[in-house]
Amino acid sequence: MAEHHRPDFDSDILLEEKLKEPRKFRVLMHNDDYTTMDFVILILVEVFRKTTQQATQIMLSIHEKGTGECGVYTAEVAETKIAIVRARAKEAGYPLKCSMEEV
């Protein structure tokens, strides 16, 4: 099968755009005086797919340092996970806060 050459098609530019990594964002959970440690662990397991051991370590970091990293995601995934956390926290009556920052 013959390969057709198109002078208006620059394969180098296309390749460069294909290989460009999407921007990544770190999702952080913030400490407060009301949200229970058990609820934080539950959210980390169910929303961020952490093991109970990983979730416990992150929860302790949140408790001791004020914040803990839940994961690194593309912007859309990070925003969705934060929205889920806010909705579940509100439903449970907790002021749990999450934020995101570019990596």
mmCIF file of all heavy atoms in Angstrom, residues 35-86:
data_model
loop_
_atom_site.group_PDB
_atom_site.id
_atom_site.type_symbol
_atom_site.label_atom_id
_atom_site.label_comp_id
_atom_site.label_asym_id
_atom_site.label_seq_id
_atom_site.Cartn_x
_atom_site.Cartn_y
_atom_site.Cartn_z
ATOM 1 N N THR A 35 -14.408 17.119 61.868
ATOM 2 C CA THR A 35 -14.501 15.894 61.075
ATOM 3 C C THR A 35 -13.771 14.767 61.792
ATOM 4 O O THR A 35 -12.618 14.929 62.200
ATOM 5 C CB THR A 35 -13.891 16.110 59.669
ATOM 6 O OG1 THR A 35 -14.511 17.249 59.072
ATOM 7 C CG2 THR A 35 -14.121 14.899 58.784
ATOM 8 N N THR A 36 -14.437 13.630 61.917
ATOM 9 C CA THR A 36 -13.821 12.515 62.633
ATOM 10 C C THR A 36 -12.737 11.851 61.788
ATOM 11 O O THR A 36 -12.775 11.886 60.555
ATOM 12 C CB THR A 36 -14.868 11.438 63.006
ATOM 13 O OG1 THR A 36 -15.379 10.856 61.806
ATOM 14 C CG2 THR A 36 -15.996 12.019 63.837
ATOM 15 N N MET A 37 -11.786 11.242 62.475
ATOM 16 C CA MET A 37 -10.713 10.528 61.791
ATOM 17 C C MET A 37 -11.294 9.368 60.979
ATOM 18 O O MET A 37 -10.833 9.091 59.871
ATOM 19 C CB MET A 37 -9.678 10.039 62.808
ATOM 20 C CG MET A 37 -8.914 11.159 63.464
ATOM 21 S SD MET A 37 -7.756 10.498 64.685
ATOM 22 C CE MET A 37 -6.933 12.000 65.201
ATOM 23 N N ASP A 38 -12.302 8.704 61.529
ATOM 24 C CA ASP A 38 -12.929 7.585 60.822
ATOM 25 C C ASP A 38 -13.565 8.041 59.511
ATOM 26 O O ASP A 38 -13.481 7.334 58.500
ATOM 27 C CB ASP A 38 -13.991 6.905 61.694
ATOM 28 C CG ASP A 38 -13.369 6.094 62.825
ATOM 29 O OD1 ASP A 38 -12.180 5.732 62.727
ATOM 30 O OD2 ASP A 38 -14.094 5.806 63.802
ATOM 31 N N PHE A 39 -14.204 9.219 59.515
ATOM 32 C CA PHE A 39 -14.824 9.727 58.289
ATOM 33 C C PHE A 39 -13.752 10.059 57.253
ATOM 34 O O PHE A 39 -13.916 9.762 56.064
ATOM 35 C CB PHE A 39 -15.694 10.957 58.575
ATOM 36 C CG PHE A 39 -16.440 11.449 57.369
ATOM 37 C CD1 PHE A 39 -17.571 10.781 56.916
ATOM 38 C CD2 PHE A 39 -16.005 12.557 56.669
ATOM 39 C CE1 PHE A 39 -18.252 11.218 55.779
ATOM 40 C CE2 PHE A 39 -16.675 13.013 55.541
ATOM 41 C CZ PHE A 39 -17.806 12.337 55.103
ATOM 42 N N VAL A 40 -12.653 10.654 57.680
ATOM 43 C CA VAL A 40 -11.553 10.976 56.769
ATOM 44 C C VAL A 40 -11.011 9.700 56.136
ATOM 45 O O VAL A 40 -10.815 9.627 54.912
ATOM 46 C CB VAL A 40 -10.426 11.761 57.490
ATOM 47 C CG1 VAL A 40 -9.184 11.875 56.614
ATOM 48 C CG2 VAL A 40 -10.921 13.136 57.918
ATOM 49 N N ILE A 41 -10.811 8.675 56.933
ATOM 50 C CA ILE A 41 -10.323 7.387 56.414
ATOM 51 C C ILE A 41 -11.329 6.807 55.413
ATOM 52 O O ILE A 41 -10.950 6.342 54.336
ATOM 53 C CB ILE A 41 -10.028 6.402 57.563
ATOM 54 C CG1 ILE A 41 -8.795 6.875 58.347
ATOM 55 C CG2 ILE A 41 -9.814 4.985 57.030
ATOM 56 C CD1 ILE A 41 -8.520 6.110 59.620
ATOM 57 N N LEU A 42 -12.608 6.856 55.747
ATOM 58 C CA LEU A 42 -13.651 6.354 54.853
ATOM 59 C C LEU A 42 -13.597 7.069 53.494
ATOM 60 O O LEU A 42 -13.641 6.428 52.438
ATOM 61 C CB LEU A 42 -15.025 6.548 55.497
ATOM 62 C CG LEU A 42 -16.221 6.110 54.659
ATOM 63 C CD1 LEU A 42 -16.310 4.587 54.612
ATOM 64 C CD2 LEU A 42 -17.502 6.699 55.226
ATOM 65 N N ILE A 43 -13.486 8.382 53.518
ATOM 66 C CA ILE A 43 -13.417 9.170 52.278
ATOM 67 C C ILE A 43 -12.161 8.799 51.478
ATOM 68 O O ILE A 43 -12.211 8.629 50.252
ATOM 69 C CB ILE A 43 -13.435 10.686 52.593
ATOM 70 C CG1 ILE A 43 -14.801 11.110 53.122
ATOM 71 C CG2 ILE A 43 -13.035 11.514 51.374
ATOM 72 C CD1 ILE A 43 -15.946 10.967 52.149
ATOM 73 N N LEU A 44 -11.042 8.675 52.154
ATOM 74 C CA LEU A 44 -9.795 8.327 51.464
ATOM 75 C C LEU A 44 -9.880 6.951 50.805
ATOM 76 O O LEU A 44 -9.377 6.751 49.701
ATOM 77 C CB LEU A 44 -8.617 8.395 52.437
ATOM 78 C CG LEU A 44 -8.203 9.806 52.847
ATOM 79 C CD1 LEU A 44 -7.298 9.771 54.075
ATOM 80 C CD2 LEU A 44 -7.520 10.527 51.695
ATOM 81 N N VAL A 45 -10.544 6.018 51.462
ATOM 82 C CA VAL A 45 -10.700 4.667 50.901
ATOM 83 C C VAL A 45 -11.704 4.674 49.745
ATOM 84 O O VAL A 45 -11.428 4.153 48.664
ATOM 85 C CB VAL A 45 -11.131 3.670 52.004
ATOM 86 C CG1 VAL A 45 -11.559 2.335 51.401
ATOM 87 C CG2 VAL A 45 -9.990 3.460 53.002
ATOM 88 N N GLU A 46 -12.861 5.298 49.960
ATOM 89 C CA GLU A 46 -13.935 5.217 48.967
ATOM 90 C C GLU A 46 -13.776 6.176 47.790
ATOM 91 O O GLU A 46 -14.089 5.817 46.663
ATOM 92 C CB GLU A 46 -15.287 5.429 49.645
ATOM 93 C CG GLU A 46 -15.639 4.291 50.582
ATOM 94 C CD GLU A 46 -17.017 4.431 51.212
ATOM 95 O OE1 GLU A 46 -17.716 5.432 50.955
ATOM 96 O OE2 GLU A 46 -17.379 3.527 51.973
ATOM 97 N N VAL A 47 -13.314 7.384 48.035
ATOM 98 C CA VAL A 47 -13.211 8.377 46.961
ATOM 99 C C VAL A 47 -11.838 8.332 46.286
ATOM 100 O O VAL A 47 -11.733 8.425 45.065
ATOM 101 C CB VAL A 47 -13.506 9.803 47.486
ATOM 102 C CG1 VAL A 47 -13.326 10.846 46.391
ATOM 103 C CG2 VAL A 47 -14.908 9.872 48.074
ATOM 104 N N PHE A 48 -10.789 8.165 47.089
ATOM 105 C CA PHE A 48 -9.434 8.216 46.545
ATOM 106 C C PHE A 48 -8.810 6.835 46.360
ATOM 107 O O PHE A 48 -7.657 6.717 45.979
ATOM 108 C CB PHE A 48 -8.554 9.110 47.430
ATOM 109 C CG PHE A 48 -9.000 10.548 47.414
ATOM 110 C CD1 PHE A 48 -9.820 11.050 48.416
ATOM 111 C CD2 PHE A 48 -8.634 11.392 46.383
ATOM 112 C CE1 PHE A 48 -10.255 12.370 48.397
ATOM 113 C CE2 PHE A 48 -9.060 12.713 46.351
ATOM 114 C CZ PHE A 48 -9.874 13.200 47.356
ATOM 115 N N ARG A 49 -9.575 5.787 46.651
ATOM 116 C CA ARG A 49 -9.144 4.396 46.425
ATOM 117 C C ARG A 49 -7.847 4.028 47.131
ATOM 118 O O ARG A 49 -7.003 3.313 46.587
ATOM 119 C CB ARG A 49 -9.026 4.101 44.922
ATOM 120 C CG ARG A 49 -10.289 4.350 44.146
ATOM 121 C CD ARG A 49 -11.324 3.326 44.509
ATOM 122 N NE ARG A 49 -12.556 3.525 43.748
ATOM 123 C CZ ARG A 49 -13.760 3.422 44.285
ATOM 124 N NH1 ARG A 49 -13.896 3.125 45.549
ATOM 125 N NH2 ARG A 49 -14.830 3.601 43.551
ATOM 126 N N LYS A 50 -7.696 4.512 48.367
ATOM 127 C CA LYS A 50 -6.532 4.166 49.181
ATOM 128 C C LYS A 50 -6.840 2.904 49.977
ATOM 129 O O LYS A 50 -8.000 2.610 50.280
ATOM 130 C CB LYS A 50 -6.182 5.309 50.148
ATOM 131 C CG LYS A 50 -5.887 6.638 49.470
ATOM 132 C CD LYS A 50 -4.693 6.555 48.556
ATOM 133 C CE LYS A 50 -4.403 7.890 47.900
ATOM 134 N NZ LYS A 50 -3.378 7.783 46.869
ATOM 135 N N THR A 51 -5.795 2.169 50.343
ATOM 136 C CA THR A 51 -5.987 1.055 51.267
ATOM 137 C C THR A 51 -6.240 1.652 52.652
ATOM 138 O O THR A 51 -5.948 2.843 52.890
ATOM 139 C CB THR A 51 -4.732 0.157 51.327
ATOM 140 O OG1 THR A 51 -3.650 0.922 51.874
ATOM 141 C CG2 THR A 51 -4.359 -0.376 49.944
ATOM 142 N N THR A 52 -6.741 0.868 53.568
ATOM 143 C CA THR A 52 -6.974 1.358 54.923
ATOM 144 C C THR A 52 -5.662 1.838 55.543
ATOM 145 O O THR A 52 -5.626 2.872 56.218
ATOM 146 C CB THR A 52 -7.617 0.263 55.800
ATOM 147 O OG1 THR A 52 -8.828 -0.158 55.159
ATOM 148 C CG2 THR A 52 -7.932 0.757 57.189
ATOM 149 N N GLN A 53 -4.575 1.121 55.285
ATOM 150 C CA GLN A 53 -3.267 1.513 55.824
ATOM 151 C C GLN A 53 -2.818 2.852 55.228
ATOM 152 O O GLN A 53 -2.361 3.740 55.956
ATOM 153 C CB GLN A 53 -2.232 0.431 55.542
ATOM 154 C CG GLN A 53 -0.872 0.740 56.153
ATOM 155 C CD GLN A 53 0.128 -0.372 55.921
ATOM 156 O OE1 GLN A 53 -0.132 -1.335 55.211
ATOM 157 N NE2 GLN A 53 1.302 -0.221 56.507
ATOM 158 N N GLN A 54 -2.932 3.014 53.905
ATOM 159 C CA GLN A 54 -2.560 4.286 53.274
ATOM 160 C C GLN A 54 -3.434 5.425 53.802
ATOM 161 O O GLN A 54 -2.941 6.507 54.104
ATOM 162 C CB GLN A 54 -2.734 4.199 51.750
ATOM 163 C CG GLN A 54 -1.745 3.312 51.050
ATOM 164 C CD GLN A 54 -2.138 3.081 49.592
ATOM 165 O OE1 GLN A 54 -3.312 2.972 49.262
ATOM 166 N NE2 GLN A 54 -1.141 3.003 48.725
ATOM 167 N N ALA A 55 -4.736 5.157 53.909
ATOM 168 C CA ALA A 55 -5.680 6.174 54.377
ATOM 169 C C ALA A 55 -5.348 6.603 55.804
ATOM 170 O O ALA A 55 -5.418 7.787 56.138
ATOM 171 C CB ALA A 55 -7.106 5.647 54.290
ATOM 172 N N THR A 56 -4.968 5.665 56.631
ATOM 173 C CA THR A 56 -4.616 5.974 58.018
ATOM 174 C C THR A 56 -3.377 6.869 58.057
ATOM 175 O O THR A 56 -3.340 7.853 58.813
ATOM 176 C CB THR A 56 -4.376 4.682 58.823
ATOM 177 O OG1 THR A 56 -5.581 3.900 58.777
ATOM 178 C CG2 THR A 56 -4.025 4.978 60.274
ATOM 179 N N GLN A 57 -2.385 6.577 57.235
ATOM 180 C CA GLN A 57 -1.166 7.406 57.185
ATOM 181 C C GLN A 57 -1.486 8.825 56.723
ATOM 182 O O GLN A 57 -0.986 9.798 57.282
ATOM 183 C CB GLN A 57 -0.124 6.767 56.262
ATOM 184 C CG GLN A 57 0.515 5.525 56.825
ATOM 185 C CD GLN A 57 1.224 5.776 58.145
ATOM 186 O OE1 GLN A 57 1.945 6.763 58.306
ATOM 187 N NE2 GLN A 57 1.006 4.913 59.115
ATOM 188 N N ILE A 58 -2.329 8.953 55.688
ATOM 189 C CA ILE A 58 -2.703 10.276 55.191
ATOM 190 C C ILE A 58 -3.493 11.031 56.249
ATOM 191 O O ILE A 58 -3.265 12.215 56.493
ATOM 192 C CB ILE A 58 -3.507 10.162 53.868
ATOM 193 C CG1 ILE A 58 -2.621 9.560 52.770
ATOM 194 C CG2 ILE A 58 -4.051 11.527 53.438
ATOM 195 C CD1 ILE A 58 -3.381 9.107 51.540
ATOM 196 N N MET A 59 -4.426 10.336 56.909
ATOM 197 C CA MET A 59 -5.234 10.961 57.965
ATOM 198 C C MET A 59 -4.333 11.475 59.086
ATOM 199 O O MET A 59 -4.541 12.584 59.596
ATOM 200 C CB MET A 59 -6.253 9.953 58.504
ATOM 201 C CG MET A 59 -7.123 10.464 59.639
ATOM 202 S SD MET A 59 -6.369 10.312 61.287
ATOM 203 C CE MET A 59 -6.196 8.547 61.438
ATOM 204 N N LEU A 60 -3.322 10.717 59.470
ATOM 205 C CA LEU A 60 -2.403 11.149 60.527
ATOM 206 C C LEU A 60 -1.609 12.375 60.077
ATOM 207 O O LEU A 60 -1.373 13.286 60.873
ATOM 208 C CB LEU A 60 -1.467 10.006 60.933
ATOM 209 C CG LEU A 60 -2.147 8.874 61.712
ATOM 210 C CD1 LEU A 60 -1.190 7.698 61.893
ATOM 211 C CD2 LEU A 60 -2.664 9.366 63.057
ATOM 212 N N SER A 61 -1.229 12.409 58.806
ATOM 213 C CA SER A 61 -0.529 13.585 58.268
ATOM 214 C C SER A 61 -1.440 14.811 58.327
ATOM 215 O O SER A 61 -0.995 15.899 58.717
ATOM 216 C CB SER A 61 -0.093 13.323 56.823
ATOM 217 O OG SER A 61 0.467 14.489 56.261
ATOM 218 N N ILE A 62 -2.701 14.638 57.963
ATOM 219 C CA ILE A 62 -3.673 15.735 58.024
ATOM 220 C C ILE A 62 -3.798 16.227 59.462
ATOM 221 O O ILE A 62 -3.757 17.425 59.733
ATOM 222 C CB ILE A 62 -5.044 15.284 57.477
ATOM 223 C CG1 ILE A 62 -4.943 14.947 55.988
ATOM 224 C CG2 ILE A 62 -6.109 16.352 57.720
ATOM 225 C CD1 ILE A 62 -6.129 14.153 55.452
ATOM 226 N N HIS A 63 -3.922 15.293 60.380
ATOM 227 C CA HIS A 63 -4.098 15.621 61.796
ATOM 228 C C HIS A 63 -2.867 16.325 62.368
ATOM 229 O O HIS A 63 -2.990 17.308 63.099
ATOM 230 C CB HIS A 63 -4.399 14.343 62.575
ATOM 231 C CG HIS A 63 -4.646 14.562 64.024
ATOM 232 N ND1 HIS A 63 -5.762 15.206 64.502
ATOM 233 C CD2 HIS A 63 -3.915 14.220 65.110
ATOM 234 C CE1 HIS A 63 -5.704 15.257 65.819
ATOM 235 N NE2 HIS A 63 -4.596 14.668 66.225
ATOM 236 N N GLU A 64 -1.678 15.834 62.031
ATOM 237 C CA GLU A 64 -0.436 16.357 62.614
ATOM 238 C C GLU A 64 0.105 17.597 61.895
ATOM 239 O O GLU A 64 0.653 18.500 62.514
ATOM 240 C CB GLU A 64 0.631 15.260 62.631
ATOM 241 C CG GLU A 64 0.281 14.125 63.575
ATOM 242 C CD GLU A 64 1.148 12.890 63.371
ATOM 243 O OE1 GLU A 64 2.098 12.932 62.552
ATOM 244 O OE2 GLU A 64 0.862 11.862 64.032
ATOM 245 N N LYS A 65 -0.029 17.639 60.557
ATOM 246 C CA LYS A 65 0.590 18.715 59.767
ATOM 247 C C LYS A 65 -0.412 19.731 59.233
ATOM 248 O O LYS A 65 -0.011 20.749 58.678
ATOM 249 C CB LYS A 65 1.369 18.124 58.598
ATOM 250 C CG LYS A 65 2.503 17.203 59.028
ATOM 251 C CD LYS A 65 3.170 16.563 57.832
ATOM 252 C CE LYS A 65 4.217 15.556 58.273
ATOM 253 N NZ LYS A 65 4.697 14.746 57.158
ATOM 254 N N GLY A 66 -1.694 19.437 59.342
ATOM 255 C CA GLY A 66 -2.707 20.366 58.843
ATOM 256 C C GLY A 66 -3.242 20.041 57.464
ATOM 257 O O GLY A 66 -4.342 20.440 57.113
ATOM 258 N N THR A 67 -2.447 19.316 56.669
ATOM 259 C CA THR A 67 -2.897 18.872 55.350
ATOM 260 C C THR A 67 -2.300 17.510 55.031
ATOM 261 O O THR A 67 -1.294 17.108 55.624
ATOM 262 C CB THR A 67 -2.466 19.826 54.205
ATOM 263 O OG1 THR A 67 -1.053 19.902 54.181
ATOM 264 C CG2 THR A 67 -3.068 21.201 54.341
ATOM 265 N N GLY A 68 -2.928 16.844 54.090
ATOM 266 C CA GLY A 68 -2.401 15.568 53.609
ATOM 267 C C GLY A 68 -2.744 15.421 52.145
ATOM 268 O O GLY A 68 -3.798 15.867 51.697
ATOM 269 N N GLU A 69 -1.832 14.802 51.393
ATOM 270 C CA GLU A 69 -2.047 14.612 49.960
ATOM 271 C C GLU A 69 -2.866 13.357 49.711
ATOM 272 O O GLU A 69 -2.494 12.266 50.129
ATOM 273 C CB GLU A 69 -0.711 14.511 49.228
ATOM 274 C CG GLU A 69 -0.864 14.389 47.730
ATOM 275 C CD GLU A 69 0.461 14.310 47.000
ATOM 276 O OE1 GLU A 69 1.283 15.234 47.142
ATOM 277 O OE2 GLU A 69 0.656 13.312 46.285
ATOM 278 N N CYS A 70 -3.973 13.531 49.007
ATOM 279 C CA CYS A 70 -4.876 12.419 48.692
ATOM 280 C C CYS A 70 -4.505 11.737 47.381
ATOM 281 O O CYS A 70 -4.866 10.588 47.161
ATOM 282 C CB CYS A 70 -6.306 12.924 48.596
ATOM 283 S SG CYS A 70 -6.871 13.764 50.076
ATOM 284 N N GLY A 71 -3.823 12.458 46.492
ATOM 285 C CA GLY A 71 -3.437 11.899 45.204
ATOM 286 C C GLY A 71 -3.143 13.002 44.209
ATOM 287 O O GLY A 71 -3.374 14.177 44.484
ATOM 288 N N VAL A 72 -2.640 12.597 43.044
ATOM 289 C CA VAL A 72 -2.319 13.536 41.968
ATOM 290 C C VAL A 72 -3.110 13.101 40.741
ATOM 291 O O VAL A 72 -3.059 11.932 40.341
ATOM 292 C CB VAL A 72 -0.798 13.552 41.673
ATOM 293 C CG1 VAL A 72 -0.475 14.459 40.504
ATOM 294 C CG2 VAL A 72 -0.025 13.983 42.917
ATOM 295 N N TYR A 73 -3.831 14.059 40.150
ATOM 296 C CA TYR A 73 -4.759 13.757 39.064
ATOM 297 C C TYR A 73 -4.754 14.872 38.024
ATOM 298 O O TYR A 73 -4.235 15.962 38.277
ATOM 299 C CB TYR A 73 -6.196 13.638 39.626
ATOM 300 C CG TYR A 73 -6.307 12.718 40.789
ATOM 301 C CD1 TYR A 73 -6.248 13.202 42.098
ATOM 302 C CD2 TYR A 73 -6.443 11.347 40.616
ATOM 303 C CE1 TYR A 73 -6.348 12.349 43.184
ATOM 304 C CE2 TYR A 73 -6.537 10.484 41.702
ATOM 305 C CZ TYR A 73 -6.488 10.989 42.980
ATOM 306 O OH TYR A 73 -6.578 10.134 44.056
ATOM 307 N N THR A 74 -5.389 14.607 36.899
ATOM 308 C CA THR A 74 -5.629 15.677 35.937
ATOM 309 C C THR A 74 -6.627 16.638 36.586
ATOM 310 O O THR A 74 -7.311 16.283 37.559
ATOM 311 C CB THR A 74 -6.224 15.140 34.625
ATOM 312 O OG1 THR A 74 -7.461 14.502 34.920
ATOM 313 C CG2 THR A 74 -5.265 14.179 33.927
ATOM 314 N N ALA A 75 -6.749 17.844 36.048
ATOM 315 C CA ALA A 75 -7.619 18.868 36.643
ATOM 316 C C ALA A 75 -9.057 18.382 36.781
ATOM 317 O O ALA A 75 -9.682 18.550 37.831
ATOM 318 C CB ALA A 75 -7.569 20.150 35.806
ATOM 319 N N GLU A 76 -9.591 17.754 35.738
ATOM 320 C CA GLU A 76 -10.987 17.324 35.755
ATOM 321 C C GLU A 76 -11.237 16.273 36.832
ATOM 322 O O GLU A 76 -12.235 16.323 37.546
ATOM 323 C CB GLU A 76 -11.403 16.775 34.386
ATOM 324 C CG GLU A 76 -11.405 17.800 33.280
ATOM 325 C CD GLU A 76 -10.010 18.120 32.721
ATOM 326 O OE1 GLU A 76 -9.045 17.364 32.982
ATOM 327 O OE2 GLU A 76 -9.879 19.156 32.047
ATOM 328 N N VAL A 77 -10.317 15.321 36.948
ATOM 329 C CA VAL A 77 -10.475 14.264 37.958
ATOM 330 C C VAL A 77 -10.344 14.861 39.354
ATOM 331 O O VAL A 77 -11.136 14.549 40.251
ATOM 332 C CB VAL A 77 -9.454 13.125 37.725
ATOM 333 C CG1 VAL A 77 -9.496 12.114 38.868
ATOM 334 C CG2 VAL A 77 -9.728 12.433 36.391
ATOM 335 N N ALA A 78 -9.368 15.745 39.553
ATOM 336 C CA ALA A 78 -9.180 16.384 40.860
ATOM 337 C C ALA A 78 -10.426 17.169 41.259
ATOM 338 O O ALA A 78 -10.904 17.051 42.396
ATOM 339 C CB ALA A 78 -7.957 17.306 40.832
ATOM 340 N N GLU A 79 -10.964 17.960 40.329
ATOM 341 C CA GLU A 79 -12.173 18.748 40.618
ATOM 342 C C GLU A 79 -13.355 17.857 40.960
ATOM 343 O O GLU A 79 -14.129 18.159 41.877
ATOM 344 C CB GLU A 79 -12.514 19.636 39.414
ATOM 345 C CG GLU A 79 -11.547 20.779 39.224
ATOM 346 C CD GLU A 79 -11.671 21.457 37.866
ATOM 347 O OE1 GLU A 79 -12.453 20.991 37.010
ATOM 348 O OE2 GLU A 79 -10.975 22.471 37.665
ATOM 349 N N THR A 80 -13.498 16.757 40.251
ATOM 350 C CA THR A 80 -14.602 15.821 40.510
ATOM 351 C C THR A 80 -14.469 15.196 41.890
ATOM 352 O O THR A 80 -15.444 15.122 42.651
ATOM 353 C CB THR A 80 -14.641 14.726 39.425
ATOM 354 O OG1 THR A 80 -14.836 15.348 38.160
ATOM 355 C CG2 THR A 80 -15.750 13.729 39.688
ATOM 356 N N LYS A 81 -13.274 14.756 42.242
ATOM 357 C CA LYS A 81 -13.061 14.137 43.555
ATOM 358 C C LYS A 81 -13.324 15.147 44.682
ATOM 359 O O LYS A 81 -13.942 14.811 45.687
ATOM 360 C CB LYS A 81 -11.658 13.534 43.658
ATOM 361 C CG LYS A 81 -11.524 12.278 42.798
ATOM 362 C CD LYS A 81 -10.223 11.569 43.038
ATOM 363 C CE LYS A 81 -10.116 10.310 42.198
ATOM 364 N NZ LYS A 81 -10.954 9.210 42.656
ATOM 365 N N ILE A 82 -12.887 16.390 44.498
ATOM 366 C CA ILE A 82 -13.138 17.424 45.508
ATOM 367 C C ILE A 82 -14.639 17.663 45.662
ATOM 368 O O ILE A 82 -15.147 17.781 46.777
ATOM 369 C CB ILE A 82 -12.386 18.725 45.152
ATOM 370 C CG1 ILE A 82 -10.876 18.516 45.359
ATOM 371 C CG2 ILE A 82 -12.883 19.897 45.985
ATOM 372 C CD1 ILE A 82 -10.009 19.641 44.818
ATOM 373 N N ALA A 83 -15.356 17.706 44.561
ATOM 374 C CA ALA A 83 -16.812 17.905 44.617
ATOM 375 C C ALA A 83 -17.495 16.753 45.348
ATOM 376 O O ALA A 83 -18.419 16.969 46.149
ATOM 377 C CB ALA A 83 -17.377 18.056 43.207
ATOM 378 N N ILE A 84 -17.041 15.531 45.115
ATOM 379 C CA ILE A 84 -17.605 14.361 45.800
ATOM 380 C C ILE A 84 -17.336 14.454 47.303
ATOM 381 O O ILE A 84 -18.231 14.213 48.115
ATOM 382 C CB ILE A 84 -17.033 13.047 45.214
ATOM 383 C CG1 ILE A 84 -17.540 12.851 43.782
ATOM 384 C CG2 ILE A 84 -17.389 11.854 46.091
ATOM 385 C CD1 ILE A 84 -16.810 11.763 43.006
ATOM 386 N N VAL A 85 -16.109 14.813 47.668
ATOM 387 C CA VAL A 85 -15.754 14.943 49.091
ATOM 388 C C VAL A 85 -16.633 16.003 49.754
ATOM 389 O O VAL A 85 -17.194 15.760 50.831
ATOM 390 C CB VAL A 85 -14.258 15.290 49.274
ATOM 391 C CG1 VAL A 85 -13.954 15.659 50.727
ATOM 392 C CG2 VAL A 85 -13.383 14.129 48.826
ATOM 393 N N ARG A 86 -16.773 17.151 49.118
ATOM 394 C CA ARG A 86 -17.594 18.234 49.693
ATOM 395 C C ARG A 86 -19.037 17.790 49.882
ATOM 396 O O ARG A 86 -19.643 18.072 50.914
ATOM 397 C CB ARG A 86 -17.520 19.474 48.803
ATOM 398 C CG ARG A 86 -16.193 20.188 48.918
ATOM 399 C CD ARG A 86 -16.153 21.442 48.066
ATOM 400 N NE ARG A 86 -14.838 22.078 48.187
ATOM 401 C CZ ARG A 86 -14.291 22.826 47.261
ATOM 402 N NH1 ARG A 86 -14.925 23.057 46.131
ATOM 403 N NH2 ARG A 86 -13.098 23.356 47.453
#
